[in-house]
Amino acid sequence: MSAPVVDTHAHYVGAPAIERIREQGAEHGVRLVETPAGTKAEVAGRLSGLPLIPPLSDVPARLAWMDAAGVDVQVVAPWMDLAGYDLDGKSGLWLARVQNESAAALVAAHPGRFRAAAAVPLQDPELAVGELTRAVTELGHVAVQIGARVNDLGLDDPSLEGFWDAAVRLCVPVIVHPAELELPERIRRLFLHILVGNPAETTFAAAALMLGGVLERHPFLRVLLVHGGGFVPYQIGRLDRGFTAAPPPVRAKGELSPRRLADRLYFDTVVHDDAALRHLVGFAAPGHVVLGSDYPFPMRLDQPLAALDAAGLDRAEREPVHSAAALFDPLSPAVPSPSSRSAPPLPARGERWTG
């Protein structure tokens, strides 16, 4: 019997969460606002980019889409416009709990079809650890989703060490997904904040994890980069060159190069290009590319399995993409490996720039 097909990248805002925000959100800096485009969420005074589109909470429509797309199980994660990183810690905790409890109710209602990724108030790492622990041990969540940065803090910030420790201790993967943050109009025009901004933010996050020493300090940390890892699979050589060439004030903090650390990262299939997906499968460690859809947003893959066909993946390559077993199986942690399959054997490490 083949393993179930798992969609690792999807978003959900349940009707119970929407109602709690409507009734209680104002006292926590969160409210719903009616606009010509539809109902938007206002968090800490800033409106969401998109309205709360109906498919975010329409469970029958979601199940029908999954059946049509050939998806057996969907890992539902929060909508990142509701990350709430601009809120104070206690208000951010309230918002995370509202979303986590709503997602847990969905899983309880359809235990064979859904799993949940937790939201956490990462602007307050201590509260984030507490909520992650509750979500995993009490609500049954199987992952946690965080932004590519916490406002101006990169993911290598020392304040987040306790969070990384907790993710490893609880044995849950961390899904890194860009959050709705303050951006200038030049980036929002032409949908550029989504088309270019999201993969760029993911790339910044991945680079911080590699060059900032996070993956080296936490070798059993499992990190999933959405949108195919941004530009990482196609610019790993530039990151590797910077590892040895960067001036001392801004040099990498670890001893392992990005190319060596890339095998610890996971990537979804939401790249919208056959050749790019083919390259990604060749670049990543075996089992480290997993199926994603980005349901239900405009940039979703309507037929995620068909994308694997178009990329020419054979049966042996498809199976680990379908099952995401390496990402979610707690008995298969991200063990360090010597080099990416995308590169020839590593040369001796070069001397860093000291001028």
Side-chain angles (χ1 to χ4, degrees):
M1 183 175 179
S2 60
V5 174
V6 180
D7 177 6
T8 66
H9 180 181
H11 302 280
Y12 173 71
V13 182
I18 294 172
E19 285 309 305
R20 287 184 66 183
I21 290 171
R22 191 185 308 277
E23 295 171 2
Q24 307 167 19
E27 60 190 278
H28 301 284
V30 186
R31 67 190 187 103
L32 302 181
V33 178
E34 297 301 325
T35 76
T39 303
K40 291 192 174 186
E42 184 184 85
V43 181
R46 188 171 67 244
L47 283 176
S48 58
L50 289 174
L52 281 157
I53 57 176
L56 274 169
S57 54
D58 188 333
V59 177
R62 184 181 296 264
L63 287 167
W65 178 87
M66 290 167 61
D67 291 341
V71 171
D72 298 311
V73 178
Q74 190 176 73
V75 179
V76 293
W79 181 28
M80 289 307 291
D81 283 39
L82 293 176
Y85 292 160
D86 286 325
L87 298 170
D88 64 79
K90 290 184 178 180
S91 294
L93 176 61
W94 176 86
L95 183 57
R97 286 189 164 195
V98 165
Q99 296 176 85
N100 291 339
E101 289 162 10
S102 178
L106 174 69
V107 174
H110 304 275
R113 304 305 303 272
F114 297 109
R115 298 291 183 269
V120 293
L122 206 56
Q123 68 271 37
D124 188 319
E126 184 175 346
L127 292 180
V129 168
E131 179 57 14
L132 175 58
T133 302
R134 184 184 83 101
V136 173
T137 62
E138 298 180 22
L139 301 181
H141 286 38
V142 300
V144 58
Q145 180 178 265
I146 65 170
R149 56 187 169 99
V150 186
N151 295 325
D152 290 332
L153 290 183
L155 295 186
D156 60 320
D157 192 84
S159 67
L160 300 179
E161 281 297 295
F163 172 77
W164 303 121
D165 285 336
V168 172
R169 172 174 53 83
L170 293 165
C171 206
V172 291
V174 179
I175 302 170
V176 175
H177 192 298
E180 175 69 15
L181 298 168
E182 197 67 43
L183 295 169
E185 182 57 32
R186 69 175 180 82
I187 295 178
R188 289 191 177 276
R189 59 186 291 274
L190 302 175
F191 209 43
L192 295 179
H193 66 299
I194 300 296
L195 301 180
V196 179
N198 274 1
E201 289 284 357
T202 300
T203 306
F204 276 115
L209 293 173
M210 291 187 285
L211 297 171
V214 175
L215 295 181
E216 196 165 335
R217 291 191 299 273
H218 304 278
F220 296 105
L221 183 64
R222 285 169 287 159
V223 175
L224 169 60
L225 303 174
V226 298
H227 309 130
F231 307 121
V232 170
Y234 323 103
Q235 289 291 339
I236 191 66
R238 185 174 183 84
L239 293 174
D240 227 43
R241 173 59 179 163
F243 178 74
T244 58
V250 290
R251 65 173 43 165
K253 297 176 182 177
E255 296 299 317
L256 297 179
S257 72
R259 192 178 293 272
R260 295 193 64 181
L261 291 168
D263 273 3
R264 304 190 194 176
L265 296 170
Y266 292 77
F267 309 85
D268 77 7
T269 57
V270 186
V271 295
H272 304 285
D273 184 85
D274 302 344
L277 181 55
R278 179 75 256 174
H279 171 76
L280 177 60
V281 171
F283 168 82
H288 283 224
V289 176
V290 295
L291 195 73
S293 69
D294 207 359
Y295 184 91
F297 289 119
M299 291 296 294
R300 68 184 178 273
L301 284 177
D302 285 318
Q303 294 293 331
L305 292 179
L308 306 185
D309 293 333
L313 270 61
D314 62 32
R315 183 174 181 179
E317 291 171 317
R318 290 172 63 107
E319 179 62 26
V321 176
H322 288 174
S323 68
L327 180 63
F328 289 105
D329 183 355
L331 300 179
S332 302
V335 178
S337 53
S339 66
S340 169
R341 295 188 298 126
S342 67
L346 290 168
R349 178 178 167 187
E351 293 295 326
R352 286 178 170 168
W353 188 86
T354 57

